[in-house]
Amino acid sequence: MVTTSRQLAELRKSYERAELSEAASQADPLLQFEQWLGEAISAQIPEPNAMTVATVGSDLRPSTRVVLIKGCDHRGIVWYTNYDSRKGQELAGNPYAALQFHWVELERVVRIEGRVGRTSAQESDAYYASRPLDSRIGAWASPQSQVIEDRGVLVKNAARYGAQYLLNPPRPPHWGGFRLVPDRWEFWQGRKSRLHDRLRYRLDDGAWVRERLAP
């Protein structure tokens, strides 16, 4: 059955699970994020660590993709990828990105903006070594974002690199971590009648300023 425009227009949801007030939220956005991420993990929602990464290329066209957060502390938000991928190339030319977490079951969204840089080689090495063997081989086998003839290319590459490196593949030089250093956060909690709670944190002279935005 084909979904019609009318069916889409009639889709409705009332958001009534929780609220987000200034008094009950953390003054430090990192602490607020860690609280919400912990609650998403405890709620056992599917892939609570999945986040959308938005970048902008030299042609000014934005692009998004979903990756997995692999680190979070006062230094920033970390994920790992192929540096030669589209996102890697776009970040090389424009080192600013936006992240978004959408925890549907909790009726929550977190948006984060900031400057992006590569993690240290030591950090990338340590995380790469912690990955399952097939994932480590996969980092060698996939020329991410490049056009390939068919899936057989990936299978042949995986077999070739697996035979070459056996149980100890080194980290590919084109693969590693990115870290986004936030200068803006927004926490969105769905509320009834579309009067949602939105709290934005922005850096002002080195201090976080918390503001409420209209939904």
Side-chain angles (χ1 to χ4, degrees), residues 36-58:
W36 271 20
L37 178 58
E39 291 173 3
I41 294 171
S42 296
Q44 298 185 324
I45 66 175
E47 293 197 292
N49 55 334
M51 64 182 184
T52 299
V53 178
T55 57
V56 177
S58 58

Side-chain angles (χ1 to χ4, degrees), residues 89-101:
Q89 294 179 19
E90 291 182 345
L91 287 170
N94 177 15
Y96 290 90
L99 312 177
Q100 178 169 292
F101 293 83

Side-chain angles (χ1 to χ4, degrees), residues 48-195:
N49 55 334
M51 64 182 184
T52 299
V53 178
T55 57
V56 177
S58 58
D59 57 1
L60 303 183
R61 293 176 65 99
S63 61
T64 64
R65 70 287 289 163
V66 176
V67 302
L68 302 178
I69 182 175
K70 291 299 178 181
C72 173
D73 58 26
H74 66 280
R75 296 173 299 166
I77 309 294
V78 173
W79 70 96
Y80 292 87
T81 190
N82 187 315
Y83 290 138
D84 293 334
S85 64
R86 179 177 177 180
K87 58 183 170 299
Q89 294 179 19
E90 291 182 345
L91 287 170
N94 177 15
Y96 290 90
L99 312 177
Q100 178 169 292
F101 293 83
H102 187 191
W103 298 311
V104 177
E105 294 81 355
L106 300 180
E107 300 173 357
R108 289 173 173 171
V109 173
V110 179
R111 298 173 58 228
I112 313 167
E113 300 175 26
R115 186 179 180 91
V116 180
R118 294 187 180 186
T119 61
S120 69
Q122 292 78 8
E123 288 178 273
S124 293
D125 287 342
Y127 176 70
Y128 180 81
S130 74
R131 305 179 85 207
L133 177 60
D134 58 351
S135 296
R136 283 179 279 154
I137 293 296
W140 282 98
S142 175
Q144 194 174 114
S145 299
Q146 296 182 27
V147 176
I148 58 176
E149 183 177 356
D150 54 36
R151 184 173 177 81
V153 172
L154 301 178
V155 175
K156 291 177 182 177
N157 285 349
R160 176 163 65 92
Y161 286 112
Q164 179 178 347
Y165 293 122
L166 301 176
L167 298 179
N168 296 295
R171 177 175 63 88
H174 58 263
W175 191 97
F178 280 116
R179 174 178 283 109
L180 181 142
V181 181
D183 56 26
R184 185 170 298 184
W185 299 72
E186 182 182 323
F187 296 85
W188 181 97
Q189 176 69 62
R191 297 294 301 276
K192 190 175 181 180
S193 303
R194 296 300 187 266
L195 300 180

